[in-house]
């Protein structure tokens, strides 16, 4: 998981306006309680101009496992830190070798029913803004082209020396040309495109430099140990401040980089609703919570809310693969 500077322990400040609202997600055995909670979320959100905050759980139905897995327990992993990446060529080789294998899964992934339902809710005016912690680009692929990517996007690469940005697709072709015999050891992929590989395999990998200046290329994503750019954080605060409610989708809110927006909404008296399969660090701040699978829950929510109450506020044409239905 990522932990950013400014992360801290969950404050015991006792100022949670929505604390203790309802029991978690309904009945012990199942869907009846979840269905009730889902309808409550629909009522809560109807016509509100909601801000969405999405996490890895929204992309699992696109074939990208989240950091936790079915048990809800975090899987052990050793993510690359910004410091390791910048400090040594060996660190960068490790990152790019693993990411080179993982990129294929990310690049092939398609938006799922959850991403498409979010886009329908945006077009019908119930959702006013989408902030995502995901770096897989799937909101954009579903047509939500102005989704704010809090942690950046794996489809872009930036040169740490000349700051030129370029596409990951182009870099992928160069890495293939440099590493024709590089084999996939078949490790499990993480939402940040990282795949576990044996050191011996990593050692033979050849990294590509910036084509403009020969400098160091880094994916345009926020690494463990790196800060989210201040202007991007402010943009997200502005979106939350401009919304009348916050809907959290598929995030355990483990890191402050996402949790702070939940706190911002709750502390300013806005209802927070959470759809996530497992407990979250924001549960005490939530007015309503439901633990249904995201695709099912969001499709039902979009159907419940329909197009009542609003035309497309952006007046924008439909775009992108998978944006239909
Ligand atoms: Zn450069």
């Amino acid at each position: 998981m990522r932990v950013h500077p400014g992360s801290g322990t969950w404050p015991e400040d006792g100022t949670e306006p929505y604390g203790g609202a309802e029991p978690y997600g309904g009945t012990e055995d199942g869907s009846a309680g979840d269905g009730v909670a889902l309808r409550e979320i629909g009522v809560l959100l109807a016509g509100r101009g909601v801000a969405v905050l999405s996490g890895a759980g929204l992309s699992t139905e696109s074939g990208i496992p989240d950091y936790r897995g079915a048990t809800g327990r975090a899987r052990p992993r050793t993510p690359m830190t910004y410091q390791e990446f910048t400090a040594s060529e060996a660190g960068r080789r490790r990152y790019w070798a693993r990411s080179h294998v993982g990129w294929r899964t990310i690049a092939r992934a398609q938006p799922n029913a959850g991403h498409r339902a979010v886009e329908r809710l945006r077009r019908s005016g119930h959702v006013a803004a989408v902030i995502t912690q995901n770096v897989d680009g799937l909101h954009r692929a579903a047509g939500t082209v102005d989704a704010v990517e809090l942690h950046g996007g794996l489809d872009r690469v930036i040169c740490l020396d000349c700051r030129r940005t370029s596409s990951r697709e182009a870099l992928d072709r160069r890495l293939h040309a440099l590493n024709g015999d590089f084999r996939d050891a078949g490790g499990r992929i993480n939402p940040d495109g990282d795949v576990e590989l044996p050191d011996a395999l990593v050692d033979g990998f050849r990294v590509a430099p910036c084509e403009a200046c020969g400098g160091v290329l880094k994916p345009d994503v926020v690494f463990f140990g790196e800060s989210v750019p201040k202007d991007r954080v402010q943009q997200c605060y502005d979106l939350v401040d401009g919304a009348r409610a916050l809907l959290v989708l598929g995030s355990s809110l483990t890191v402050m980089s996402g949790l702070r927006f939940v706190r911002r909404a709750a502390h300013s008296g806005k209802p927070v609703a959470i759809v996530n399969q497992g407990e979250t660090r924001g549960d005490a701040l939530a007015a309503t919570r439901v633990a249904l699978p995201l695709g099912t829950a969001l499709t039902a929510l979009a159907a419940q809310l329909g197009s009542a109450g609003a035309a497309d506020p952006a007046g924008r044409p439909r775009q992108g693969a998978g944006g239909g239905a």
Side-chain angles (χ1 to χ4, degrees), residues 159 161-164 210 212-215:
C159 173
D161 296 281
C162 73
R163 307 307 293 180
R164 174 179 175 266
C210 172
C213 79

Side-chain angles (χ1 to χ4, degrees), residues 57-321:
L58 185 60
S59 291
T60 56
E61 292 170 48
S62 293
I64 304 172
D66 68 14
Y67 295 109
R68 302 195 159 257
T71 61
R73 197 169 303 143
R75 290 190 267 111
R77 62 187 293 263
T78 51
M80 172 69 54
T81 65
Y82 181 75
Q83 289 71 22
E84 281 176 281
F85 185 88
T86 52
S88 76
E89 220 171 290
R92 291 190 286 279
R93 186 182 304 117
R94 171 173 163 247
Y95 175 83
W96 281 116
R98 294 159 58 120
S99 181
H100 184 54
V101 172
W103 171 245
R104 278 177 290 173
T105 300
I106 302 287
R108 285 176 191 159
Q110 295 292 319
N112 64 54
H115 299 102
R116 291 194 295 272
V118 169
E119 172 57 11
R120 280 204 300 284
L121 289 166
R122 187 200 64 76
R123 274 191 264 131
S124 61
H126 299 294
V127 165
V130 176
I131 301 164
T132 185
Q133 301 173 107
N134 299 339
V135 293
D136 53 34
L138 292 178
H139 277 297
R140 273 184 290 124
T144 314
V145 292
D146 55 2
V148 179
E149 295 176 315
L150 189 61
H151 296 153
L154 279 175
D155 61 341
R156 306 180 296 276
V157 175
I158 186 164
C159 173
L160 292 182
D161 296 281
C162 73
R163 307 307 293 180
R164 174 179 175 266
T165 56
S166 53
S167 83
R168 176 60 178 270
E169 202 181 335
L171 176 64
D172 188 58
R173 285 194 293 271
R174 295 175 65 208
L175 291 176
H176 267 298
L178 287 169
N179 300 280
D181 57 350
F182 194 77
R183 286 171 309 186
D184 180 359
R188 176 194 278 276
I189 189 170
N190 286 298
D192 56 6
D194 183 41
V195 167
E196 301 275 344
L197 291 181
D199 288 347
L201 196 60
V202 168
D203 288 345
F205 192 80
R206 297 176 67 194
V207 171
C210 172
E211 286 189 295
C213 79
V216 170
L217 294 180
K218 175 182 170 291
D220 193 10
V221 299
V222 177
F223 274 31
F224 181 94
E226 189 181 7
S227 296
V228 178
K230 280 198 171 70
D231 56 346
R232 199 182 298 162
V233 174
Q234 189 56 51
Q235 182 187 6
C236 295
Y237 276 133
D238 291 346
L239 291 173
V240 171
D241 289 347
R244 294 173 59 200
L246 181 66
L247 175 60
V248 178
L249 303 175
S251 174
S252 57
L253 300 169
T254 307
V255 296
M256 188 55 79
S257 90
L259 179 63
R260 57 187 157 189
F261 302 117
V262 174
R263 298 182 62 197
R264 176 81 154 219
H267 290 181
S268 58
K270 293 172 184 175
V272 174
I274 298 176
V275 184
N276 187 64
Q277 292 196 280
E279 293 184 9
T280 85
R281 220 172 148 206
D283 284 353
L285 299 171
T288 313
R289 295 158 290 182
V290 62
L292 287 168
L294 276 291
T296 307
L298 290 169
T299 300
L301 204 54
Q304 179 190 338
L305 294 175
S307 57
D312 181 357
R316 206 164 52 196
R318 289 162 59 161
Q319 301 187 45

